[in-house]
Amino acid sequence: MCGIFAYTGKKSAEEVLLDGLESLEYRGYDSAGIYIPEAGVIKTPGAVSELREKIPANFKGHSGIAHLRWATHGEPNEKNAHPHSGCTDDIWIVHNGIIENFKELKEKLEKAGHTFKTDTDTEVLAHLIEYHLQKERDFEKSVLAALNEVRGTYGIAVQYKEKPEMLIAARMGSPLVLGIGEDERFIASDASPILPHTKKVVFLEDGEVAIITPMEHKILKLDATQVKRAPEEIEWNAEKAQKNGYEHFMLKEIMEAQEVIKNTLRGRLIADKGMAKLGGLESVAKKLEDIERIIIVACGTAYYAALVGEYMLEEYAGIPVEVELGSEFRYRSPVLNQRTALIGISQSGETLDTLEAIREGKRRGALTLGIVNTVGSTIARETDAGVYNHAGPEIGVASTKAFISQLTALALFTIFFGRQRHMSKETGREIADALLELPEKIRSILERNERIKELAEKYANYRDFLFIGRKYNYPISFEGALKLKEVSYVHAEGCGAGEMKHGPIAMIDENFPTIAIATQDSVYEKMKSNIEEIKARKGPIIAVVNDGDTEIPKLVDDVMFVPKTLEMLSPILNVIPLQLFAYYFARKKGLNVDRPRNLAKSVTVE
Ligand code: M6R
C-alpha cells in the first residue's frame, strides 16, 4: 500500500519522480504528491495524471520525494496527501506503513508546542524529526532519534530543506529499494521505477537507515552502527505494462490466460516421464522428500488458489495440507516443525499478512517456499526456495491472470511432490498432458466472450448473487464472488453447494440469482440436486457447464459453456467465465474496473 519514490542527482527531479510514480500506481491511487526543495510541494486527491496536471512549468529541481497514497488514517483528500512536513516546513517526509504509537507521540509533541495540520499518522514523524532537529542540529541524528521512538511499520524518504541534495530513507516492515546510478541515487517501494535508470540496487532490510547523496550512500542500523552491503545487479527488465488496445487492464489480463499458462509451464514439464522440473526447488529437493505436512498461507485470490492446491496435493501427492489466511496465521500458535513446508502464494510478493505468516513459519522451524509473480519481491527473497509464476505484470487490481498461473504452478507442485512420493509415471503423464491442453481450451472459452458479456448485461441490475461449487470448484465459488464484488460493489457470496442448505438458501428468491459451477466431474450429480433446490425456491440460476452437457442447461435459466478437462484442473477453466462475467458486469455499470474504490493492488499494511 502506498508507493514512495525519491531522487537526488543531476536530472530534472520532477520528470524522474512523476514517471517513477506511474509505475508504482498499482500500490495506491487515493492521492498523490511531490516535494522538491527548490520548488515546493504539490498534492492532489487522485492519481499521477491529476498530479501532473497541477505541476507548473517552473516547478523544477534536482532532488525530491514523491508519494502515492492508499489511505489508512484520514480521508484521501489533498490535506492528507503526502509529503507531510512539521511546523516549519523544513522537514518533509513520504511514508508507507502505519505508525502505531502516533497518538501518544502526537500528545507529547503538542505539549511541546507543535501544531498538526492533517489527520495522518505520518505527520507525527515529520514533527518528531523536526523536534529532534531543533535539539540536535543534525539531520542524520534527528531522523535516527525519531525512528527510535516510533512503533509500527514504515518505508520512508525524508528531506531537509537546508540540505536539498540529501535523502534519508529507512525501512521497517515496508519494502524499500536504493538505486545506485552514475552520480545519482533513487529510493523506491519496489525496483520498477528505478530500473529505467539503473540496475544496481540495494534492498534495504528492516531496521536499516540509508543516508544518501548523489555520489554516495551509507547504510546504518537504528543504533547508528554502519552496515556493509554490496549492491546487487538486477537481471530483469522494466516491463512497461500496456493495454494493447483493450479498454481495461482487467480484460487484457483475462485474455492473456493462454500465454500465462504456457509461460508458467515453460521448461518445467517433462511430459513423457510424467515429471515436473522446478529449478527453484532444486536446492531444497532432498529436504522436500522428508516433508510430512504442507501449510499454504495467502490472502484474497491467492488464498482461493491455495484452497484448490489443497485438494490437488492431498488427492495426488498424499501429503496433508492446511491452508491459512496470512492475516490469521501469525496470531495463533501454529505447531510446525522441520518436516513442515510452508508455501506462501502471492502475486505481488509484498502482501504484509502473507509475508509475516512466512516469517512466523520460519521462526517456528518450517522450510519456506514461495509461489510469487513479482521478481525480486520481498517474499521471493525471504523464502528458502520457490518458483516464479512468469505471468508478467498484473496491473488490474482484480487478480485474474495471476490466479490462473497460481493454479497452474500448484498443479506443477502436485506433480513434483507426488512423483517424489507414490504418484505413478502414468498419473504424472496424465496431469502433464492435461496441463498442456489447457491453452487451446482457454482459447475456445475466450472466443465465446460475447455470450458472457450478454449475460452480464442481462443480470446487471441484480444487487445480490450467490456462487456455489463443490470439491475442486468450492474455492472457485469464493473467487467468482470476490471478483464480482470487488469490481462491481454488489453483494456476492461464495458457498459450498452442500453447505447452502445450512443457511444461505434462506436468501434465495426470484431477485437473488445463483451462479453454479456445475461441470461434469465426480460431484456433478450432487450439483444437479443443489440446482434443483434453488429452482424450487424460484431463484434464477446461471450455470457454468461443460460443452455437450444436455442436462443442466434444461434446469437453469442461462449457461456459460467451458470445455472438459481433468477434474483437478477444472478450476483453471471454470474461473474464466466468472472473471469475464465480473468484468462485463462492472463495465455495464460504468465503474472504474481497473481501480475499484477503496482497494490497492498490493496490500502492505495489516
Ligand atoms: O499480491 P497478493 O497475491 O499477495 O495479493 C493478495 C490479495 O490482496 C489479492 O489477491 C486481492 O484479493 C485481489 N484484489 C483479488 O482480486
Side-chain angles (χ1 to χ4, degrees):
M1 268 22 197
C2 297
I4 69 178
F5 190 40
Y7 173 74
T8 180
K10 292 203 182 87
K11 292 180 183 142
S12 301
E14 64 290 352
E15 284 168 25
V16 173
L17 291 174
L18 289 170
D19 287 350
L21 275 192
E22 263 165 12
S23 47
L24 290 174
E25 262 187 326
Y26 73 91
R27 303 182 71 90
Y29 38 79
D30 285 343
S31 58
I34 181 169
Y35 168 71
I36 290 188
E38 293 114 303
V41 66
I42 297 182
K43 308 181 191 191
T44 181
V48 187
S49 51
E50 276 97 332
L51 186 62
R52 264 190 204 282
E53 277 172 24
K54 281 183 118 178
I55 306 263
N58 61 353
F59 191 84
K60 293 197 171 303
H62 297 289
S63 71
I65 54 179
H67 189 267
L68 283 167
R69 179 164 186 248
W70 183 85
T72 57
H73 293 70
E75 265 180 61
N77 52 23
E78 183 170 333
K79 175 184 78 171
N80 291 331
H82 297 217
H84 290 295
S85 63
C87 293
T88 59
D89 286 352
D90 284 344
I91 291 291
W92 289 87
I93 183 168
V94 287
H95 169 220
N96 170 27
I98 296 178
I99 306 298
E100 286 167 4
N101 58 340
F102 85 100
K103 285 210 173 102
E104 61 192 73
L105 291 171
K106 189 171 175 184
E107 270 169 31
K108 166 186 145 164
L109 288 160
E110 278 173 339
K111 277 189 197 136
H114 285 252
T115 315
F116 286 78
K117 309 174 275 264
T118 76
D119 313 316
T120 64
D121 53 331
T122 303
E123 191 190 351
V124 158
L125 199 42
H127 284 272
L128 194 60
I129 296 169
E130 182 181 83
Y131 169 85
H132 286 288
L133 190 62
Q134 280 156 1
K135 292 199 290 184
E136 302 271 0
R137 301 270 153 222
D138 182 292
F139 183 28
E140 183 181 316
K141 284 189 185 148
S142 310
V143 175
L144 282 172
L147 292 178
N148 277 294
E149 282 190 64
V150 299
R151 273 198 323 272
T153 54
Y154 53 79
I156 55 166
V158 196
Q159 272 196 298
Y160 177 29
K161 206 172 171 186
E162 308 261 305
K163 294 197 170 213
E165 77 296 344
M166 183 180 271
L167 299 171
I168 300 189
R171 169 185 168 147
M172 184 66 80
S174 302
L176 220 47
V177 187
L178 163 66
I180 303 156
E182 192 89 352
D183 298 344
E184 59 183 358
R185 297 287 189 275
F186 306 81
I187 279 289
S189 297
D190 74 32
S192 58
I194 296 175
L195 284 174
H197 305 277
T198 176
K199 293 196 164 188
K200 216 178 193 188
V201 298
V202 172
F203 291 97
L204 293 184
E205 304 281 348
D206 281 351
E208 288 182 352
V209 183
I211 317 292
I212 303 156
T213 57
M215 317 283 264
E216 55 188 12
H217 65 266
K218 63 178 177 185
I219 300 173
L220 307 175
K221 289 193 183 155
L222 287 174
D223 62 6
T225 53
Q226 204 156 333
V227 178
K228 285 263 168 264
R229 175 107 39 76
E232 303 175 28
E233 285 280 332
I234 292 187
E235 285 167 14
W236 72 94
N237 286 316
E239 280 181 80
K240 191 106 181 151
Q242 307 284 352
K243 285 190 203 148
N244 291 348
Y246 287 99
E247 194 181 338
H248 295 103
F249 280 109
M250 183 176 174
L251 183 60
K252 177 203 164 219
E253 287 161 3
I254 297 170
M255 292 293 177
E256 281 172 3
Q258 283 169 263
E259 277 314 300
V260 163
I261 295 199
K262 287 184 198 162
N263 290 340
T264 307
L265 294 179
R266 185 158 292 123
R268 290 171 167 170
L269 268 184
I270 314 171
D272 58 333
K273 293 195 177 137
M275 306 267 278
K277 183 173 174 297
L278 297 174
L281 299 189
E282 253 162 38
S283 61
V284 293
K286 200 84 208 105
K287 282 191 189 159
L288 291 176
E289 282 174 12
D290 298 328
I291 287 303
E292 288 169 351
R293 178 172 165 234
I294 293 175
I295 296 179
I296 313 181
V297 290
C299 299
T301 287
Y303 172 75
Y304 300 134
L307 288 177
V308 177
E310 178 179 18
Y311 282 88
M312 291 179 178
L313 285 156
E314 292 202 331
E315 180 170 354
Y316 284 93
I319 311 176
V321 180
E322 290 148 61
V323 178
E324 298 267 356
L325 286 167
S327 48
E328 288 298 323
F329 184 73
R330 63 188 288 229
Y331 292 109
R332 47 189 200 80
S333 303
V335 181
L336 319 175
N337 61 31
Q338 287 170 341
R339 301 218 161 174
T340 309
L342 185 130
I343 306 176
I345 305 182
S346 174
Q347 187 288 127
S348 61
E350 300 294 352
T351 300
L352 191 61
D353 289 322
T354 306
L355 176 62
E356 288 297 345
I358 291 168
R359 287 175 175 162
E360 183 63 30
K362 222 177 210 182
R363 276 194 289 274
R364 289 174 182 265
L367 177 72
T368 59
L369 308 176
I371 298 179
V372 174
N373 192 35
T374 307
V375 178
S377 56
T378 310
I379 293 179
R381 286 182 294 110
E382 289 201 13
T383 39
D384 296 312
V387 300
Y388 281 118
N389 288 101
H390 300 313
E394 189 180 64
I395 307 298
V397 166
S399 187
T400 52
K401 66 173 179 173
F403 184 67
I404 299 290
S405 174
Q406 286 157 355
L407 295 179
T408 308
L410 283 161
L412 288 170
F413 268 57
T414 302
I415 302 176
F416 181 88
F417 278 107
R419 295 288 278 127
Q420 274 193 334
R421 290 166 175 77
H422 310 293
M423 185 191 285
S424 68
K425 178 173 155 187
E426 286 65 38
T427 304
R429 214 150 52 187
E430 188 192 7
I431 302 173
D433 289 344
L435 276 168
L436 292 169
E437 285 167 7
L438 285 178
E440 192 47 32
K441 293 184 176 178
I442 285 176
R443 188 182 58 77
S444 93
I445 301 175
L446 295 174
E447 275 174 3
R448 291 178 264 186
N449 74 325
E450 276 302 314
R451 170 72 189 131
I452 298 166
K453 181 173 171 222
E454 279 166 26
L455 279 182
E457 291 177 355
K458 173 177 168 188
Y459 285 85
N461 289 327
Y462 286 90
R463 292 284 314 157
D464 303 281
F465 286 84
L466 185 67
F467 286 70
I468 57 169
R470 275 177 182 262
K471 201 176 168 184
Y472 279 100
N473 289 293
Y474 160 66
I476 300 308
S477 71
F478 291 98
E479 175 57 10
L482 176 63
K483 283 293 87 78
L484 188 60
K485 63 187 152 194
E486 73 179 322
V487 296
S488 298
Y489 324 144
V490 296
H491 165 228
E493 274 185 50
C495 177
E499 192 61 16
M500 193 182 63
K501 58 188 173 294
H502 298 289
I505 199 166
M507 299 186 291
I508 295 299
D509 63 19
E510 60 274 25
N511 297 315
F512 204 128
T514 297
I515 301 192
I517 305 136
T519 41
Q520 287 161 322
D521 53 23
S522 60
V523 289
Y524 178 71
E525 291 303 324
K526 298 258 179 299
M527 282 302 298
K528 251 181 13 195
S529 308
N530 298 133
I531 286 172
E532 296 276 16
E533 286 155 16
I534 293 166
K535 235 21 268 164
R537 272 102 191 153
K538 299 196 169 47
I541 306 179
I542 311 169
V544 177
V545 297
N546 278 136
D547 289 334
D549 185 344
T550 51
E551 294 178 50
I552 290 187
K554 285 189 199 135
L555 297 177
V556 301
D557 298 274
D558 287 292
V559 282
M560 302 195 259
F561 284 103
V562 295
K564 203 162 180 193
T565 180
L566 204 60
E567 182 172 18
M568 71 170 263
L569 302 179
S570 65
I572 302 180
L573 299 184
N574 296 350
V575 76
I576 292 177
L578 305 185
Q579 295 174 342
L580 287 167
F581 184 87
Y583 170 74
Y584 286 120
F585 191 98
R587 186 175 169 273
K588 173 75 181 162
K589 289 179 168 295
L591 298 170
N592 188 344
V593 184
D594 285 336
R595 290 184 187 170
R597 69 183 183 202
N598 305 341
L599 296 178
K601 184 70 184 155
S602 169
V603 184
T604 56
V605 292
E606 280 189 76

